[in-house]
Amino acid sequence: MMADPHLMDGPEAVALKERERFAQILLLFGRHGLKGMASRLGLRLGGEEPFDSARPEAVVALLQDIGPAAVKFGQILAMRSDLLEPDWIDALSKLQDRVPPLPFATVRPLIEEAIGGTVESYFASFEDEAIAAGSIAQVHAATLLDDRDVIVKVRRPGIERIVDADLRLLRRVARIAERRIPEIARLKPDELLRHFAESIDREMDLGAEARASDTIGEYLKAFGVRTARFDWELSGRRVNIQERFRGVPASNLEVARQSDLDLTSLASTYAQAILHMIVINGHFHADPHPGNVFFLEDGTLGLIDFGAVGTLLPRRREELVRLGLAIAAEDTGGVVDILLLWAGDPDVDRVRLEEALAELINRFSNVLLEQIDLTDIFQIVFAILRDFHLALPPDLALVLRTLLTAEGFVRRIDPTFDITRELAPLAKELMRERTSPARLRGEAGKLFAALGRAALSTPSLVGQIERVARTGSITVSIAPRDLERLRGDERNSRATPQLYPAALGICAAILFASEPIIAGLLAVLSIALAIGERVKRR
């Protein structure tokens, strides 16, 4: 790997000018045999070649050499089985965010500046040797003056400037690639990078990790799952101090199996916690791999490292519920509607997509719940999405990656364990939530608000109808996209529900002079349908 002062550790690290950094990346393309790809990006290294001729291993090595931002972006891509073929996912999954730790003499001044005093004034002991190190931060074990064992996480010096600079370059390369390479344009690199920038910004803020651990930890108490407590007087954006768990790391299953722990019960607790965090809480630990899980000495479960968290907004949860109901009813049209909504309503062969999904649903419709393997289902779904060039929104891709991580983990603990069995009580809880008095009151409030807005706009609507009747002319405005749809193929020729209120309004305007009573009734019906459609969309 080239000596790169842009990636040097230590306060003396100085960001290179973008042109110099770009030249370094250009050399890395050549070093890893990717001159053809560089040429297609307009970097003029050699003759152009097909994008699919690039070896995944070479691209992974390139990302590793570029630095922390590229490595973490590669790890985000490794979650996107809906976009990339299995060989790319396998290669990207091997990207390691591990680097040699910095000497304690380098990070000590940063710790002392962040805590507002010397190490000796706050800690009874402090291990100089880091117990773990990544590209963003490294971790030391220590003991506070009150004898509490803690973990001290400190952000690497200069890393924020380095990541910001490389993010700008990644965006620049992504925009060029989107214009020049159709295979990359399909991946929506701009959207991916926006999501990635938000994710890495949260990871940079060690205080955000502490807040997420506390907030999600409160929710997880009901499941008997613990998260580390943080010392808020000493924790901030650059350093955090958290409780050190005592127990068996879940990554060390051999030791766990030799203990008296009830691993089957712990697997069930873990699965319920993950599923409830995602579906009910909507705020979840997004990287619950065995290295972030502890079997604690009191027989409970502990979760650490909340640097990666996900959020599932109520709207998205509603869409997931609708998707689940459509699958249960074997309504392939409903399933397609949700998938196309998520993909941004692209132009696809809907009939062929419905046939592919119907085959998938039929394959599992007569299979017992405990015999269903989520991994198998996801692999088939991802293949269908790739086939039809449909991309999932980043938040849902994170949810699916988290679910697959969870299923893989519980099957390692207990090969007979079936995470799909845990879905039944969760479905009941979801239905209770959807029909709760509070939920119904909220929906009623939205309905009355919509009725109120419609009532307030009625005079102007009647005025417009009268104006149309008096002048005999109707101004029609059609967006270019809608015009294209009107010109589209015959299978989409059915009138959409939104057209009915407009049609009734026009009829009312035409009849206003000769049949005012009928026109009034049509106008009222038009308003009612418009309100109904609006409430339905909400």
Side-chain angles (χ1 to χ4, degrees):
M1 181 174 177
M2 72 169 63
D4 184 357
H6 182 71
L7 298 178
M8 282 196 312
D9 298 312
E12 74 285 357
V14 177
L16 295 178
K17 292 179 181 176
E18 189 171 291
R19 186 185 303 171
E20 295 170 315
R21 181 64 176 144
F22 208 70
Q24 288 189 344
I25 291 174
L26 186 62
L27 289 175
L28 290 174
F29 269 93
R31 173 176 296 179
H32 293 289
L34 296 169
K35 290 184 178 181
M37 179 186 285
S39 179
R40 290 198 68 182
L41 291 171
L43 305 183
R44 298 186 298 276
L45 271 182
E48 292 194 4
E49 60 187 44
F51 175 72
D52 56 15
S53 68
R55 293 180 300 107
E57 296 77 13
V59 174
V60 166
L62 170 68
L63 295 174
Q64 194 83 54
D65 276 4
I66 289 175
V71 168
K72 290 194 171 292
F73 184 54
Q75 291 172 332
I76 293 283
L77 289 176
M79 306 176 196
R80 303 307 303 266
S81 297
D82 57 318
L83 299 176
L84 300 172
E85 296 293 337
D87 56 338
W88 281 92
I89 297 297
D90 290 343
L92 290 165
S93 298
K94 295 182 175 73
L95 274 169
Q96 296 295 319
D97 183 32
R98 294 192 181 95
V99 296
L102 297 175
F104 182 61
T106 301
V107 298
R108 179 180 178 125
L110 300 175
I111 296 171
E112 292 183 335
E113 183 184 354
I115 65 178
T118 64
V119 167
E120 289 77 16
S121 62
Y122 286 97
F123 298 94
S125 65
F126 199 108
E127 293 183 14
D128 293 359
E129 194 72 30
I131 58 177
S135 59
I136 301 296
Q138 64 186 55
V139 174
H140 294 259
T143 304
L144 293 170
L145 294 177
D146 60 7
D147 290 332
R148 282 183 293 142
D149 291 332
V150 294
I151 295 294
V152 179
K153 182 179 283 191
V154 55
R155 202 173 68 189
R156 296 177 77 98
I159 189 64
E160 197 162 21
R161 183 175 62 249
I162 293 168
V163 168
D164 283 348
D166 279 355
L167 265 176
R168 286 196 300 274
L169 280 171
L170 280 173
R171 289 192 195 102
R172 180 177 166 188
V173 171
R175 290 190 195 103
I176 296 171
E178 195 162 3
R179 288 196 304 269
R180 297 176 61 96
I181 306 177
E183 300 94 327
I184 289 183
R186 184 180 70 81
L187 305 183
K188 300 181 180 177
D190 246 2
E191 183 183 358
L192 283 172
L193 278 166
R194 278 199 305 274
H195 176 69
F196 169 62
E198 292 168 5
S199 168
I200 202 167
D201 185 60
R202 282 194 302 269
E203 193 171 347
M204 290 277 200
D205 183 359
L206 301 187
E209 176 191 352
R211 291 189 293 274
S213 180
D214 275 6
T215 304
I216 298 176
E218 279 299 313
Y219 180 77
L220 292 177
K221 282 180 181 177
F223 301 92
V225 176
R226 284 188 56 203
T227 60
R229 292 186 295 271
F230 283 76
D231 189 318
W232 280 103
E233 290 184 11
L234 302 178
S235 297
R237 185 173 174 85
R238 291 174 296 163
V239 171
N240 69 40
I241 317 290
Q242 59 186 281
E243 169 189 10
R244 185 176 188 180
F245 278 154
R246 294 297 181 183
V248 180
S251 54
N252 195 344
L253 279 182
E254 289 306 314
V255 173
R257 289 196 174 99
Q258 293 167 12
S259 65
D260 295 329
L261 295 169
D262 184 350
L263 292 183
T264 301
S265 174
L266 286 168
S268 179
T269 298
Y270 168 88
Q272 279 293 325
I274 298 299
L275 291 170
H276 277 79
M277 270 195 295
I278 293 171
V279 181
I280 304 298
N281 190 45
H283 194 44
F284 58 94
H285 192 307
D287 197 16
H289 64 76
N292 288 334
V293 182
F294 273 80
F295 302 132
L296 302 178
E297 290 174 345
D298 62 1
T300 60
L301 207 63
L303 272 180
I304 64 168
D305 195 357
F306 283 76
V309 294
T311 300
L312 199 64
L313 296 175
R315 170 178 56 85
R316 194 70 83 202
R317 291 166 59 201
E318 288 292 325
E319 291 164 0
L320 283 172
V321 170
R322 283 165 52 198
L323 178 67
L325 292 173
I327 292 172
E330 299 187 18
D331 174 15
T332 52
V335 175
V336 168
D337 288 341
I338 295 293
L339 291 180
L340 294 182
L341 172 69
W342 287 343
D345 199 19
D347 184 21
V348 300
D349 185 341
R350 185 183 176 105
V351 173
R352 196 166 70 86
L353 179 56
E354 285 192 17
E355 288 172 353
L357 289 169
E359 185 180 340
L360 172 63
I361 292 172
N362 289 336
R363 176 173 175 176
F364 292 100
S365 61
N366 296 318
V367 178
L368 295 175
L369 191 61
E370 60 268 19
Q371 294 173 345
I372 292 176
D373 188 331
L374 283 183
T375 305
D376 287 348
I377 294 177
F378 283 153
Q379 284 177 348
I380 298 170
V381 170
F382 289 148
I384 292 173
L385 292 174
R386 290 194 303 269
D387 239 10
F388 288 87
H389 295 175
L390 301 177
L392 291 174
D395 57 339
L396 281 178
L398 191 60
V399 166
L400 294 185
R401 196 285 297 262
T402 304
L403 287 174
L404 286 173
T405 300
E407 188 189 40
F409 178 41
V410 294
R411 286 187 185 275
R412 279 189 63 209
I413 294 175
D414 178 4
T416 65
F417 187 86
D418 179 21
I419 197 171
T420 54
R421 279 201 307 263
E422 311 295 327
L423 292 171
L426 190 65
K428 291 178 184 176
E429 188 170 342
L430 260 181
M431 295 311 295
R432 280 199 303 271
E433 184 192 75
R434 285 169 64 81
T435 56
S436 68
R439 172 66 180 272
L440 294 175
R441 280 197 300 272
E443 292 299 322
K446 291 177 186 176
L447 175 61
F448 284 123
L451 288 171
R453 287 193 296 272
L456 290 172
S457 65
T458 299
S460 66
L461 178 61
V462 171
Q464 288 177 26
I465 292 173
E466 183 183 10
R467 205 158 38 248
V468 169
R470 190 175 60 252
T471 62
S473 63
I474 299 172
T475 302
V476 179
S477 176
I478 301 177
R481 183 178 178 184
D482 294 331
L483 189 59
E484 288 303 316
R485 287 185 177 180
L486 289 172
R487 292 172 176 164
D489 52 60
E490 293 180 0
R491 66 174 181 275
N492 290 325
S493 61
R494 292 181 303 166
T496 60
Q498 294 91 334
L499 288 177
Y500 299 136
L504 289 170
I506 292 170
C507 290
I510 294 170
L511 293 172
F512 186 77
S514 59
E515 299 288 344
I517 295 176
I518 296 175
L521 289 173
L522 289 174
V524 170
L525 183 56
S526 171
I527 293 169
L529 284 175
I531 292 171
E533 182 60 30
R534 179 166 185 164
V535 171
K536 181 180 177 183
R537 288 202 305 272
R538 282 169 174 255

